[in-house]
Amino acid sequence: MKRFIPSVCLSICIGSSFLIAGCGNNSSPIENSFTNAEGKAEVVTELYSSTDIGDVYNSDVDLSSSFDVNSIEKKMTELAMANSGVDSEENLERHLIVTPADMDIELQFKVPVESIFLEGGVYTNVSNIAIWTSENPDIAGVTQGEITAYKVGETNITVSYRDITKTVHVNVVEKTKWEEKDGSWYYYDANGKKTTGWKSIDGSWYYLSNNGSMLTGWQKIKDNTYYFHSTGPMAQGKWVQNPDDKAWYYFNYNGKMATHKWIKDGANTYYVHGNGKMAVDEWINPDEGLWYYMLMDGKMARDRAIDIKGISYQFDKDGKCLNPDGN
């Protein structure tokens, strides 16, 4: 018997990403999403997967959709086996990554929790097909990874997938407690203790230094580069311009700065170098024999001819240059 779970389709990227077949509503901006003639969401048979965990965060929930879990898991395992090179799925290494594992949330707020399944080096966001339960639904309820705060108190949310279970601690407060002192902001938990390190508050990530002060701007934390807005929240799925070099940088949904990868942003595709800078007005040759050209605004040239230094180059709909030698 096939298992069907109401859920959502996921967005599309290129580069390290694998195939997606999804669904969406009539207003969906996602390329290659679809609805049937009556506007009803189709059954999703494949989930978005990638070898880069930063690609699979931010799964929006659409309860009008449903997932064919058997088909999804079969294709996930096929991708994992192909990526890892093992000859049996029993040899695949599997992990469940749930974030945040601890959060503060104000009354009536709704906050998503991400459940990422790692199998054979391939990450898949399984938030919408995992099993979620709340120890005390009167305090906080959960539906496919979306937590809603109903009553002041503490509870645990459990998420289970493929015989792996993780727990998320939820602290519902009437009002989050921030305090400004000498130009810096500090956050205090329900017990009045000053918070340090990473903290998820009302669905946004903050980083509090060793003395508890909230960090803003560009920050290097454990070899990764992040950007925190002036009000404190970490940039997620955002482009940020560096005021010093004027270059644009992309921050994945896990907050880490993207490096050496393609970025799919709406209908446009961009490329960021190993130092994170967006490629502008230049050729990109990620794969031997394939050439792409990034325009002045960083967008990939597609389905058009462009005159570059007096030579006309033709690009197909996927951005590949058809005459890289200029002939």
Side-chain angles (χ1 to χ4, degrees):
M1 179 182 294
K2 289 187 176 181
R3 289 183 290 155
F4 290 92
I5 296 180
S7 201
V8 64
C9 60
L10 303 174
S11 59
I12 294 173
C13 285
I14 64 177
S16 59
S17 306
F18 297 105
L19 176 67
I20 306 164
C23 60
N25 56 37
N26 288 325
S27 61
S28 172
I30 300 175
E31 185 177 329
N32 291 348
S33 62
F34 62 87
T35 57
N36 61 21
E38 290 78 26
K40 296 179 181 179
E42 300 287 346
V43 174
V44 179
T45 59
E46 298 181 48
L47 285 182
Y48 179 70
S49 298
S50 174
T51 54
D52 184 344
I53 191 173
D55 291 338
V56 299
Y57 281 87
N58 195 41
S59 167
D60 295 323
V61 176
D62 179 0
L63 296 180
S64 67
S65 304
S66 60
F67 280 146
D68 178 349
V69 179
N70 289 339
S71 294
I72 289 169
E73 292 179 348
K74 178 182 177 182
K75 289 164 186 174
M76 286 169 57
T77 298
E78 289 173 352
L79 289 173
M81 291 180 64
N83 183 68
S84 62
V86 302
D87 56 5
S88 171
E89 66 176 280
E90 283 75 24
N91 296 325
L92 289 171
E93 187 174 347
R94 297 183 173 98
H95 301 278
L96 187 62
I97 304 163
V98 177
T99 180
D102 183 88
M103 66 167 67
D104 285 5
I105 177 174
E106 289 186 19
L107 282 171
Q108 304 307 314
F109 267 64
K110 292 185 177 182
V111 174
V113 175
E114 306 281 359
S115 180
I116 311 297
F117 188 62
L118 173 61
E119 182 179 34
V122 178
Y123 297 92
T124 305
N125 192 321
V126 296
S127 299
N128 299 303
I129 62 174
I131 305 301
W132 299 83
T133 57
S134 172
E135 288 183 0
N136 192 333
D138 290 336
I139 291 177
V142 60
T143 302
Q144 293 173 257
E146 185 176 70
I147 297 175
T148 304
Y150 296 118
K151 179 181 177 182
V152 172
E154 297 183 50
T155 189
N156 290 318
I157 302 292
T158 58
V159 53
S160 298
Y161 184 73
R162 303 280 285 270
D163 298 322
I164 305 175
T165 299
K166 297 287 184 176
T167 300
V168 179
H169 179 257
V170 178
N171 181 37
V172 179
V173 296
E174 187 171 350
K175 187 73 176 177
T176 52
K177 188 177 180 182
W178 288 96
E179 182 177 300
E180 184 182 18
K181 183 178 181 181
D182 298 328
S184 295
W185 284 93
Y186 300 84
Y187 183 77
Y188 295 85
D189 63 21
N191 298 316
K193 182 180 178 181
K194 187 184 293 184
T195 300
T196 61
W198 289 104
K199 186 67 178 179
S200 175
I201 306 169
D202 290 339
S204 295
W205 281 100
Y206 298 80
Y207 193 85
L208 295 307
S209 67
N210 290 336
N211 68 359
S213 60
M214 182 187 75
L215 298 187
T216 60
W218 297 78
Q219 301 290 339
K220 192 86 167 180
I221 302 173
K222 293 186 178 180
D223 298 325
N224 292 303
T225 300
Y226 300 85
Y227 181 81
F228 298 88
H229 297 291
S230 60
T231 53
M234 178 182 73
Q236 296 178 270
K238 300 289 185 182
W239 288 99
V240 177
Q241 187 177 36
N242 189 309
D244 296 327
D245 60 15
K246 307 302 180 184
W248 287 91
Y249 298 78
Y250 185 80
F251 291 85
N252 293 309
Y253 282 98
N254 64 354
K256 297 178 182 178
M257 184 178 73
T259 59
H260 193 62
K261 67 180 292 187
W262 294 101
I263 305 296
K264 180 78 174 180
D265 190 357
N268 299 307
T269 300
Y270 303 82
Y271 184 80
V272 292
H273 292 290
N275 60 3
K277 286 186 180 181
M278 182 177 74
V280 174
D281 192 25
E282 61 184 288
W283 289 97
I284 298 296
N285 177 220
D287 301 301
E288 187 175 350
L290 297 179
W291 287 90
Y292 303 84
Y293 191 78
M294 316 312 289
L295 303 172
M296 287 294 295
D297 59 2
K299 297 175 184 176
M300 176 194 289
R302 287 180 174 179
D303 200 22
R304 59 184 292 188
I306 300 178
D307 187 79
I308 303 172
K309 296 182 179 180
I311 301 175
S312 180
Y313 295 92
Q314 184 68 43
F315 300 87
D316 66 14
K317 62 182 179 63
D318 297 316
K320 183 174 65 177
C321 183
L322 301 177
N323 59 328
D325 56 1
N327 296 323

